Amino acid sequence: MHAIVIGGGYMSLPPLFGQISVEQNWAMGDLQRAWSYVPLGSALVAVLTGVWLRKNGDRYLLLVAGTVSVVGLFLRATSPSLLQFSFALLLFGIGTGSMLVILTNRVSRNFEDRHAGLAQALFFGSYTTGAAVGLVSAEFLSHLLSGWRDVFLFWSALSVLALLPALLTSCEPTISDEAETSARSFSDWLRQVFPYAIVYGCYVGGYLGVVGLLPHQLRQWGWTAIAADGALAGSTFAFVAGAAFWATLTDKIGYRRIAFAAGMAGCTILVMITLSSAPSGLGFVASSSIIMIGFFGGVMALFFPILLDGIETGGVNASKSIGTTTAASYLGGFLLPFFAAPYSETNPKTSMAIFGLSFGAAGLIMVASGIRSRRASTII
């Protein structure tokens, strides 16, 4: 489900921005803003989903969320106007945002302690695998079928099949009424979860900004479609390798926060290298940088093991913490691409620099939150 409904459904769109813009006479900046409505929709429902999961099972909610996602994909393919196209993306975001909280909660509950990092790495990797297939197949499917609309019809059909396991699986509520009364106060929880929410928001804002802009922008810089989509697909596959590497390493030796900060710093540096090399004809350097962004970005698999290891943010508050940080991630995924959209045509390097710096900010805040937590525990 993570690979097909979310990964393929998300990343099959950016490579088609140019084709859609020409055929429909929609401005590229408007398409970039429409793209940002996906995470906006997800932000609207993530917290509510997390709260629901504390006292209710997830099977039927997963089916509802999946159905909304498929409807959003279908409407994306049939929308005659930019307004309806934007609404379809918003609806897709609502469905996939709820789905991601449910699936993340399942993984977090079933794989804990020394296997937590690797389990999350495999889960994140499933998304990137689907995203890579969505990226490299978008233009091919558009030519093979009858245009860009049929690409989304194809992914909506696959998504229906991917949702069938939801009929056979379920996860019980994460908290009982008795456990609720013993949970820490809301203010303590909010104070602890806030920096994690900012971290996740910075990462997803940077990630969605980069993958939303680069497929079209590389073409504008003279890259062929195969080279542009191939580099981005390579980056998503490198994410899988990076997630497994960082997770396995830190599951054994610890230091997850330090590893997370190092990975985010690497992403920032590599985005800047891409900015200087991609328009200058240094194709090998730029391609290598784009691929390595995926490898260093794989450190994101450590986020939920770090989050749920906290006294306030894990345990009985796990579902609520997952929902809140996921909502914040999608809010960041909306705000950064939306407000950087005006630069996507006039000065795309500025947009890319903003997205790159957001990765570094995520790493710095993660380290700072760890220092604060240690000081608090010392005082206690």
Side-chain angles (χ1 to χ4, degrees):
M1 286 184 279
H2 202 195
I4 295 175
V5 185
I6 302 179
Y10 248 113
M11 292 303 125
S12 57
L13 175 57
L16 300 175
F17 276 152
Q19 181 180 341
I20 296 172
S21 177
V22 172
E23 289 188 10
Q24 302 298 129
N25 197 28
W26 297 342
M28 183 59 62
D30 291 336
L31 282 173
Q32 291 289 336
R33 288 194 179 92
W35 165 253
S36 70
Y37 293 150
V38 178
L40 175 63
S42 299
L44 298 175
V45 298
V47 174
L48 296 176
T49 302
V51 172
W52 168 274
L53 293 178
R54 302 184 81 201
K55 293 186 177 182
N56 301 278
D58 65 7
R59 178 186 298 177
Y60 296 111
L61 182 60
L62 182 57
L63 284 173
V64 171
T67 300
V68 172
S69 302
V70 171
V71 171
L73 273 170
F74 179 80
L75 292 179
R76 187 194 305 181
T78 58
S79 298
S81 69
L82 180 62
L83 179 63
Q84 291 169 295
F85 186 79
S86 300
F87 174 76
L89 293 178
L90 180 72
L91 196 64
F92 177 76
I94 290 172
T96 55
S98 183
M99 281 185 67
L100 184 57
V101 174
I102 295 169
L103 298 176
T104 303
N105 184 64
R106 284 191 177 188
V107 174
S108 299
R109 290 193 62 199
N110 286 285
F111 300 93
E112 299 178 351
D113 301 326
R114 63 190 181 91
H115 297 300
L118 184 58
Q120 290 290 350
L122 294 173
F123 179 62
F124 273 93
S126 67
Y127 162 81
T128 54
T129 301
V133 174
L135 282 166
V136 298
S137 66
E139 288 208 14
F140 170 77
L141 288 174
S142 176
H143 294 300
L144 180 66
L145 302 173
S146 300
W148 61 269
R149 296 182 185 274
D150 283 352
V151 176
F152 305 133
L153 291 177
F154 171 82
W155 281 105
S156 64
L158 281 184
S159 296
V160 171
L161 297 177
L163 289 172
L164 294 180
L167 293 169
L168 307 174
T169 58
S170 183
C171 194
E172 295 304 312
T174 61
I175 183 171
S176 64
D177 292 334
E178 292 78 9
E180 176 73 36
T181 60
S182 64
R184 299 284 188 128
S185 70
F186 176 79
S187 61
D188 290 337
W189 167 80
L190 183 61
R191 185 169 57 252
Q192 292 294 324
V193 83
F194 181 76
Y196 295 106
I198 300 299
V199 167
Y200 207 4
C202 287
Y203 169 77
V204 173
Y207 168 75
L208 290 181
V210 168
V211 299
L213 180 59
L214 267 187
H216 172 73
Q217 191 56 48
L218 289 175
R219 289 166 170 79
Q220 296 296 106
W221 285 334
W223 289 43
T224 65
I226 294 176
D229 295 343
L232 288 164
S235 182
T236 58
F237 284 124
F239 183 101
V240 179
F245 169 79
W246 294 108
T248 302
L249 178 67
T250 56
D251 278 353
K252 291 182 178 179
I253 68 172
Y255 299 103
R256 283 173 175 160
R257 291 177 188 271
I258 295 175
F260 186 92
M264 291 295 102
C267 288
T268 296
I269 294 170
L270 288 163
V271 168
M272 299 309 171
I273 293 175
T274 301
L275 279 181
S276 62
S277 59
S280 305
L282 301 175
F284 177 77
V285 174
S287 296
S288 300
S289 299
I290 292 170
I291 291 172
M292 290 306 294
I293 288 172
F295 180 82
F296 280 92
V299 79
M300 191 61 204
L302 305 181
F303 176 78
F304 284 108
I306 295 172
L307 171 70
L308 301 179
D309 189 50
I311 296 175
E312 302 286 355
T313 53
V316 296
N317 286 322
S319 295
K320 185 167 63 174
S321 297
I322 291 171
T324 301
T325 54
T326 302
S329 77
Y330 283 123
L331 186 60
F334 164 69
L335 291 174
L336 261 70
F338 184 86
F339 287 107
Y343 300 108
S344 63
E345 291 180 291
T346 59
N347 194 358
K349 287 187 176 182
T350 299
S351 295
M352 284 291 294
I354 293 171
F355 302 145
L357 290 173
S358 70
F359 291 131
L364 289 174
I365 296 170
M366 178 64 83
V367 171
S369 67
I371 294 172
R372 189 186 71 172
S373 297
R374 284 195 294 273
R375 286 175 178 172
S377 64
T378 302
I379 294 172
I380 292 172

